[in-house]
């Protein structure tokens, strides 16, 4: 097992090898064991990112590392319910919520690019309000955890439980990659985990308000994101 002190000095190539080896070795491990490995290996240079759709991964991580950093991207376009979920997580869970914001407010972006950039060029809007702020916010970390699951959409079907995020040059941990929606629901019920109220209101995946709609019967969980715009991911996980 590689300890925190040793990983702090590893090169990108060594970190990539470490991540890919862990991905193979931990493929069948539980979410808690995957997070245990990540927190033991990276210590304070590990964080969880959360869209505040639910607090499942934050809850799991807080069980192995109380006070773990939970990074939330406030794009300025979130539903009130999402901000409320972030505030509730901050208030009741043993985690350290860190809110990242884009360099420009929505009003400043409107002034520079025109209003409703999300309708005209969602890739640019996501780049400015999600991808860039996350890149900057993750600078101090070597590894980050996500709530990606293979069953969410075809684009996520091959998500490794631990992999190398080449764009950000970080180890990317997806402890619930093998979970199904039923697994998530069971964990939420068993542990009373906070979830976004919109999940009870027809939304299966919660993103920015202008780019999220309720899903229809039989659609996959992410079908309500950028519906009709030929876009399925914001660029955070590309
Ligand atoms: Fe902009 Fe929509 Fe992306 Fe949010 S999801 S950053 S509103 S394009």
């Amino acid at each position: 097992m590689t300890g925190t002190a040793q990983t702090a000095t590893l090169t990108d190539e060594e970190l990539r090898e470490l991540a890919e080896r862990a991905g193979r070795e931990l493929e069948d491990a539980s979410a808690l064991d995957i997070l245990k490995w990540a927190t033991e290996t990276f210590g304070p240079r590990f964080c969880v990112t959360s869209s505040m759709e639910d607090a499942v991964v934050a809850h799991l991580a807080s069980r192995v590392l109380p006070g773990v950093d939970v990074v939330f991207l406030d794009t300025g376009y979130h539903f009130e319910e999402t901000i409320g979920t972030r505030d509730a997580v901050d208030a009741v869970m043993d985690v350290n919520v860190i809110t990242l914001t884009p360099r420009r407010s929505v009003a400043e972006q409107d002034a520079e690019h025109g209003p409703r950039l999300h309708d005209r060029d969602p890739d640019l809007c996501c780049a400015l309000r999600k991808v860039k702020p996350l890149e900057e916010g993750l600078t101090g970390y070597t590894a980050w955890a996500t709530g990606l699951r293979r069953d969410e959409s075809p684009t996520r079907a091959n998500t490794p439980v631990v992999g190398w995020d080449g764009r950000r040059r970080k180890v990317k941990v997806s402890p619930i990659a093998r979970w199904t929606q039923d697994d998530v629901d069971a964990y939420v019920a068993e542990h009373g985990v906070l979830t976004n109220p919109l999940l009870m209101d027809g939304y299966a995946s919660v993103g920015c308000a202008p780019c999220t709609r309720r899903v229809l019967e039989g659609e996959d969980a992410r079908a309500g994101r950028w519906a009709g715009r030929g876009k399925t991911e914001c660029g955070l996980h590309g």
Side-chain angles (χ1 to χ4, degrees):
M1 184 73 60
T2 308
T4 308
Q6 287 140 301
T7 55
T9 59
L10 294 182
T11 64
D12 285 356
E13 187 54 26
E14 288 167 334
L15 282 171
R16 185 181 64 76
E17 283 171 16
L18 174 76
E20 290 176 355
R21 189 168 62 247
R24 290 191 296 275
E25 291 176 357
L26 294 169
E27 168 62 21
D28 297 322
S30 70
L32 274 179
D33 282 343
I34 294 166
L35 285 163
K36 220 172 272 172
W37 171 83
T39 55
E40 285 172 2
T41 305
F42 303 105
R45 295 182 67 81
F46 167 78
C47 69
V48 172
T49 55
S50 177
S51 65
M52 297 300 164
E53 185 172 295
D54 62 54
V56 168
V57 177
H59 187 275
L60 284 159
S62 73
R63 289 170 64 189
V64 297
L65 183 65
V68 64
D69 286 353
V70 173
V71 173
F72 169 69
L73 261 174
D74 185 355
T75 63
Y77 277 120
H78 283 302
F79 292 99
E80 276 175 26
E81 289 86 345
T82 302
I83 300 301
T85 305
R86 186 269 320 265
D87 293 344
V89 166
D90 196 21
V92 308
M93 287 178 57
D94 193 358
V95 298
N96 177 35
V97 173
I98 296 170
T99 297
L100 305 178
T101 52
R103 287 190 183 172
R104 287 180 171 67
S105 67
V106 169
E108 288 166 345
Q109 177 171 295
D110 287 355
E112 189 173 342
H113 296 280
R116 304 188 67 82
L117 183 63
H118 44 76
D119 288 348
R120 294 175 289 107
D121 192 345
D123 286 343
L124 177 59
C125 188
C126 279
L128 296 170
R129 311 205 72 74
K130 288 186 167 182
V131 179
K132 191 74 183 157
L134 185 70
E135 235 158 59
E136 292 170 355
L138 290 182
T139 306
Y141 300 99
T142 306
W144 61 303
T146 77
L148 294 181
R149 297 201 329 264
R150 293 173 188 166
D151 75 339
E152 289 177 300
S153 69
T155 55
R156 298 185 172 185
N158 297 318
T159 302
V161 295
V162 182
W164 177 241
D165 174 358
R167 182 198 292 182
R168 299 177 188 84
R169 305 200 313 281
K170 309 225 174 270
V171 177
K172 187 169 169 182
V173 184
S174 300
I176 62 168
R178 290 188 294 108
W179 286 26
T180 63
Q181 186 62 51
D182 285 349
D183 294 329
V184 172
D185 294 344
Y187 187 87
V188 166
E190 184 181 350
H191 296 277
V193 176
L194 285 161
T195 58
N196 194 312
L198 293 174
L199 296 179
M200 303 296 285
D201 189 20
Y203 293 85
S205 174
V206 182
C208 294
C211 303
T212 307
R213 67 153 168 78
R214 293 176 175 84
V215 289
L216 306 172
E217 188 79 27
E219 287 186 325
D220 75 46
R222 290 184 59 83
R225 305 287 295 277
W226 304 283
R229 296 183 211 174
K231 180 175 166 71
T232 55
E233 295 283 350
C234 52
L236 296 181
H237 304 295

